[in-house]
Amino acid sequence: MTKTPYTRNLGTTGPQVSALGLGCMGMSALYGEADRAESIATVHAALEAGVTLLDTGDFYAMGHNEMLLGEALRTAPAALREQALVSVKFGALRDPEGNWSGYDGRPAAVKNFAAYSLQRLGVDHIDVYRIARLDPDVPIEETVGAIAELIEKGYVRHVGLSEVGAETIRRAAATAPVSDLQIEYSLISRGIEREILPTTRELGIGITAYGVLSRGLISGHFTRDRQLAAGDFRAHSPRFQGENLQHNLNLVDALREIAERKGATVAQTAIAWVLSRGEDIVPLVGARTRERLTESLGALDVTLDAADLAAIEKAVPADAAAGDRYPSAQMAHLDSER
């Protein structure tokens, strides 16, 4: 496939994918109820629009998201299904009540998780496989080594990483070729620019950026009086609380002025900013409906020149956000924040 402005490579060893990927988590978990039929229709619409990278996790609603994505792939036209590349995160441990109880990166667990994911997704291989968070009790070399064994047997195509810091990235890359690091990156989450992004670029590892709209906070659609549904984890997210929320939505108001001058939406401008940060970065958009997907895809046609980027930097400087990106208990699991 010839590389176009709408395709990018996942690092020097990874596959060519669409310039935007679709993050499927919200179709099953953490944002309240979702419409299954609309979710599947959104996956189909993404594939029809040329989106090839689909991201999920085996722990999103305890397998629900993989089964939903599997159904979407099974019911898509064959030509579109064959173009899809599936990225899967594994390792998070949960109980029947949905509580979180750590991460498991042991080689036997890696292979066990993969076996179940292949079955739920209805595929014969996973394109990119990554542990969601570093298991502090298992060396990353062992976890990545197990993925490499799955690659040798044809069950996985590429090693990915998620939310790990520069030292862990180097150790992983010394064990096996790594296609990409999945990590939060947006106008208001720019921590990777200090050490992590320079490291991935040195090693030829791509970035799949999630949270590009900061879970809707900088989408232009989140209002100060919005009542979050039961089960929506944003109700406990520091950036959505009290004065933090007011401060952060003030940043959105400043961004809105720039977006309107560009004839774009706030969401499109925020996504376009992430796209502008380098050809090695592929934003994942968490659209749950065809309407939001269409808006997000419009970012591909938004060009930000030097004056635009300077105006955005002034409106939303690095480290301008109020509040951490996760509650403290979850921040403690992030090797990328150490």
Side-chain angles (χ1 to χ4, degrees), residues 7-330:
T7 62
R8 293 185 170 186
N9 292 324
L10 290 188
T12 56
T13 65
Q16 184 173 307
V17 299
S18 50
L20 286 181
L22 179 64
C24 300
M25 180 189 76
M27 297 176 180
S28 298
L30 301 176
Y31 290 104
E33 291 294 323
D35 183 312
R36 186 180 186 87
E38 179 62 22
S39 295
I40 291 172
T42 300
V43 174
H44 289 170
L47 292 170
E48 289 165 4
V51 173
T52 60
L53 181 61
L54 306 174
D55 183 75
T56 184
D58 65 8
F59 51 91
Y60 293 164
M62 284 68 78
H64 179 281
N65 200 240
E66 287 184 321
M67 290 188 287
L68 184 148
L69 182 54
E71 180 180 345
L73 291 172
R74 186 172 64 253
T75 55
L80 297 179
R81 183 169 64 248
E82 291 167 5
Q83 293 177 15
L85 292 99
V86 179
S87 164
V88 177
K89 290 181 291 298
F90 68 88
L93 302 176
R94 306 189 71 178
D95 67 19
E97 285 77 45
N99 299 311
W100 305 84
S101 51
Y103 297 88
D104 193 343
R106 294 172 301 146
V110 173
K111 296 169 186 177
N112 178 78
F113 291 135
Y116 282 86
S117 286
L118 290 165
Q119 179 69 24
R120 286 188 291 257
L121 287 162
V123 298
D124 60 8
H125 72 272
I126 296 165
D127 293 285
V128 188
Y129 202 46
R130 66 185 91 241
I131 191 166
R133 301 287 187 268
L134 180 68
D135 181 344
D137 298 321
V138 178
I140 192 64
E141 291 86 351
E142 293 184 17
T143 302
V144 167
I147 300 174
E149 290 180 24
L150 290 169
I151 291 174
E152 290 176 7
K153 294 183 177 180
Y155 296 119
V156 171
R157 292 287 188 266
H158 302 280
V159 176
L161 298 171
S162 175
E163 285 289 358
V164 291
E167 179 186 352
T168 302
I169 294 168
R170 292 186 184 281
R171 289 170 54 193
T175 304
V178 174
S179 66
D180 67 309
L181 167 69
Q182 189 174 122
I183 196 163
E184 186 167 354
Y185 187 42
S186 73
L187 264 170
I188 62 171
S189 295
R190 294 175 59 177
I192 71 168
E193 294 176 350
R194 291 188 287 272
E195 185 179 11
I196 291 173
L197 188 54
T199 300
T200 58
R201 286 178 168 163
E202 175 192 337
L203 298 173
I205 296 170
I207 296 287
T208 41
Y210 76 88
V212 293
L213 296 178
S214 197
R215 299 158 186 84
L217 181 59
I218 60 172
S219 68
H221 301 297
F222 202 93
T223 59
R224 288 167 170 80
D225 59 353
R226 179 169 173 176
Q227 297 297 310
L228 295 172
D232 191 323
F233 88 108
R234 290 174 293 186
H236 309 287
S237 174
R239 289 184 175 173
F240 289 83
Q241 307 303 310
E243 293 182 1
N244 287 352
L245 177 62
Q246 297 298 323
H247 171 89
N248 294 330
L249 289 179
N250 287 340
L251 298 175
V252 176
D253 290 340
L255 184 62
R256 193 186 310 275
E257 295 181 14
I258 298 168
E260 289 175 350
R261 291 201 297 269
K262 293 291 294 181
T265 69
V266 175
Q268 289 167 346
T269 304
I271 296 167
W273 181 87
V274 178
L275 283 164
S276 78
R277 307 309 283 179
E279 289 289 318
D280 54 342
I281 298 173
V282 175
L284 298 172
V285 296
R288 301 199 294 170
T289 66
R290 285 168 286 182
E291 179 184 7
R292 290 287 184 257
L293 173 69
T294 299
E295 179 184 17
S296 295
L297 291 173
L300 293 168
D301 297 318
V302 176
T303 300
L304 300 176
D305 60 24
D308 296 326
L309 293 170
I312 291 171
E313 188 74 26
K314 183 177 180 181
V316 189
D319 301 319
D324 287 333
R325 54 195 183 101
Y326 285 105
S328 58
Q330 294 182 45

